[in-house]
Each structure stands twice: as C-alpha cells, then as structure tokens.
C-alpha cells in the first residue's frame, strides 16, 4: 500500500477496526491496531448525553438516520482516536469518557488545545472547513465514542435547521474559548495560567461537593494545558499546596480554596 493511500485512509480503517501494521514514513501518520476496541450498537433516541450535544434538538427522522449509520467504539486510555494532518471521514460524539485534543509543533512539543467530555463533538471543524485534522485526539481514560460518517452529518446539517443553528452556536463558543486562551497565554503569568487550568478542569470534570478534579493528568499534560513546562507547573502546584490552596494526592487534585484560586487566575464569578 502506498504512503499516500495509508495517510489518506488511516482514520477510515481506524474506525472500521481493520488491523494495520504500524508504518513510519516521512509525513505519514502512524496507524495503530485497534482490534481490541469493543463495539456496541448505538441508540441515539435513548442517549442521555445527546441532550447536552448539538444533536439535542434534531428531528426524530434525523436521529434515526444517524442511528442507522453510526458506529460506536470503546477506546482504552492513551489510545488514539484520530491523528493530526489526516483527512477526516466523519465526526465523533463522546458517549462516555474524557478525551484530549493536542497539536505537535515544529519543535516536536505537544500542546493540549482542548479537553472534551461526554456529549462533546470532535472532528467537526475539519469537516466543515474541508481541511485535514489540525490536532490529534487521544483518550485520557477508557472512553466510548460514536462515529458518524461525513456524508451523513453534512446531509442532516443541510436539512435540519435545529442542527445547523446548534452547530453554529458550538463554533461560536469554541471561538470564544480560543480567544480567551490566546489572551491568557499573552497577558497572564505561568502561575495565573496554572490556576486557570485548575479552574477549567474543576468546571469541566470536577466533583462540586468536594471541589475534587475528577480527572487524572500528568504534570506534563497539565503544563501543556497551562501553556508552560512540566517543571514550572510542578513548582507552582507545590506552591499552591504549601499555601493550602489545593491538596494533591498522586494525580488527583482537590481545590481547598476555590475562591482564592479563581481570584488568582483572574476569573470573574
């Protein structure tokens, strides 16, 4: 199989779970063997997380059309879902689990650009823009994801006004988040960005009763999210813990003083 053919179709084979030998060529994306992924039959009408996604207002006809074509897979922690620079063949709707989107820069450094949870959609921007994926997606923990083919998604998008409006709203929110993160990267210190990252994770994945962040990230991953190095974020977390702002238990973090952390991050309540 030629390099260009593998590079073009690796996400498609990835979704169909056809075992492929890992290839390493210049400008070619690695393709992993996903034969260990578990599959289940999606039931869109019964999906609890559909209510928090862009599909919450679609018609019954559209829901049935998606259900007929959707393929659902369970990815293990650290398993890739799609790769940066690959052509998109559809979108991914997260049923359960947590997933990170990250980019690899020219210097080889990884940068987390987005964190996703149940109900979130992945891969839509590349589909709508007619571009290749600009980031890679990887499961942080065991995650179940529904794959919807590009043709099906675009067909329903053209016919269903509710889906069209909710998709535009999602794009607008994502643009606002990107603008806020760019502002933080330019104007805030590493300590402020680390505090902001903790607040984001608490809002996204936290257990509100005890202010515990219900996600396990390495110091390196937290540094990527806070736009700083692993060494810097480790030092700052130690400072926060010494000041009794947070409590660290291995990879788990509990925010002891959420008001002070939010104030330090420069966030308005």
């Amino acid at each position: 199989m030629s390099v260009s053919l593998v590079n073009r179709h690796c996400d498609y084979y990835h979704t169909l779970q056809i075992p492929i030998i890992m290839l390493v060529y210049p400008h070619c994306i690695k393709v992993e063997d996903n034969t260990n992924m578990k599959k289940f039959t999606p039931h869109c009408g019964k999906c609890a997380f559909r209510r928090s996604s862009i599909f919450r207002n679609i018609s019954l006809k559209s829901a049935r059309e998606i259900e007929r074509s959707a393929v659902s897979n369970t990815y293990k922690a650290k398993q890739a879902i799609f790769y940066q620079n690959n052509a998109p063949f559809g979108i991914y709707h997260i049923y359960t689990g947590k997933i990170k989107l990250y980019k690899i820069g020219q210097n080889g450094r990884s940068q987390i650009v987005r964190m996703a949870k149940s109900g979130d959609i992945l891969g839509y921007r590349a589909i709508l823009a007619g571009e290749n994926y600009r980031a890679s997606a990887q499961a942080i923990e065991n995650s179940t994801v529904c794959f919807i083919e590009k043709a099906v998604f675009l067909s329903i998008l053209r016919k269903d006004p509710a889906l069209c409006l909710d998709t535009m709203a999602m794009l607008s929110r994502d643009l606002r988040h990107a603008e806020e993160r760019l502002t933080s990267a330019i104007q805030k210190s590493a300590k402020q960005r680390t505090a902001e990252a903790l607040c984001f994770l608490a809002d996204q994945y936290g257990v509100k009763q005890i202010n515990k962040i219900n996600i396990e990230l390495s110091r390196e991953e937290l540094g990527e999210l806070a736009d700083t190095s692993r060494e810097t974020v480790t030092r700052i977390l130690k400072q926060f813990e010494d000041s009794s702002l947070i409590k660290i238990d291995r990879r788990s973090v509990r925010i002891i003083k959420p008001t002070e952390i939010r104030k330090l991050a420069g966030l308005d309540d």
Side-chain angles (χ1 to χ4, degrees), residues 3 5-6 12 18 25 33 37 39 54 71 90 123-124 126 135 149 159 195 198 248 255-256 258 261 263:
V3 173
L5 187 59
V6 171
Y12 180 69
I18 299 174
Y25 292 110
D33 181 354
M37 287 192 303
K39 300 176 66 176
I54 59 173
V71 177
Y124 60 89
E149 292 183 1
K159 296 181 295 186
L198 291 176
I248 301 174
I255 300 178
I256 305 298
I261 287 289
K263 184 177 180 181

Side-chain angles (χ1 to χ4, degrees), residues 5-12 14 27-31 81-89 126 131-136:
L5 187 59
V6 171
N7 197 32
R8 178 183 174 189
H9 292 291
C10 59
D11 280 313
Y12 180 69
H14 188 99
H27 310 297
C28 181
I29 303 302
K30 296 178 182 178
V31 183
I81 297 169
F82 57 79
Y83 290 100
Q84 183 176 339
N85 296 325
N86 275 21
F89 287 88
E131 300 175 346
N132 291 346
Y133 292 122
R134 298 301 182 185
S136 299

Side-chain angles (χ1 to χ4, degrees), residues 71-83:
V71 177
S72 299
N73 298 310
T74 297
Y75 296 83
K76 295 181 180 179
K78 305 294 185 182
Q79 190 169 11
I81 297 169
F82 57 79
Y83 290 100

Side-chain angles (χ1 to χ4, degrees), residues 140-152:
I140 297 173
E141 63 183 29
N142 292 352
S143 303
T144 301
V145 181
C146 295
F147 175 80
I148 303 168
E149 292 183 1
K150 174 181 177 180
V152 174

Side-chain angles (χ1 to χ4, degrees), residues 102-220:
Y102 65 96
K103 294 173 67 73
I104 302 296
Q106 293 182 350
N107 59 359
R109 181 183 173 185
S110 177
Q111 184 75 45
I112 294 177
V113 296
R114 183 184 168 199
M115 302 287 291
K117 64 181 187 307
S118 300
D120 288 346
I121 306 294
L122 306 176
Y124 60 89
R125 200 204 63 79
I127 293 290
L128 296 175
E131 300 175 346
N132 291 346
Y133 292 122
R134 298 301 182 185
S136 299
Q138 183 185 82
I140 297 173
E141 63 183 29
N142 292 352
S143 303
T144 301
V145 181
C146 295
F147 175 80
I148 303 168
E149 292 183 1
K150 174 181 177 180
V152 174
F153 174 64
L154 292 178
S155 174
I156 296 175
L157 190 63
R158 294 186 184 100
K159 296 181 295 186
D160 198 310
L163 178 60
C164 188
L165 288 172
D166 286 335
T167 300
M168 287 192 292
M170 177 178 62
L171 286 168
S172 298
R173 288 192 298 271
D174 287 348
L175 178 59
R176 173 172 60 83
H177 293 154
E179 291 172 345
E180 290 173 349
R181 185 164 182 184
L182 177 61
T183 301
S184 295
I186 295 173
Q187 298 182 358
K188 292 186 177 181
S189 66
K191 180 177 289 188
Q192 289 176 307
R193 294 196 303 272
T194 301
E196 187 174 34
L198 291 176
C199 291
F200 165 77
L201 292 173
D203 292 340
Q204 186 88 334
Y205 305 113
V207 181
K208 293 184 178 180
Q209 291 82 352
I210 57 175
N211 293 312
K212 181 179 179 181
I213 299 176
N214 189 27
I215 185 173
E216 290 191 358
L217 290 179
S218 67
R219 296 293 181 268
E220 186 172 359

Side-chain angles (χ1 to χ4, degrees), residues 17 24 40 43 109 121 125 161 194 204 222 235 246 255:
Q17 301 176 37
V24 182
F40 76 97
H43 297 286
R109 181 183 173 185
I121 306 294
R125 200 204 63 79
T194 301
Q204 186 88 334
L222 185 57
R235 175 174 50 81
I246 64 173
I255 300 178

Side-chain angles (χ1 to χ4, degrees), residues 4 33 35 41 44 60 68 73 87 90 95 202 225 237 241 247 253:
S4 60
D33 181 354
T35 52
T41 302
C44 300
L60 181 59
R68 284 194 298 268
N73 298 310
Y95 180 64
L225 188 62
L237 289 177
E241 188 171 34
K247 177 65 176 178
V253 177

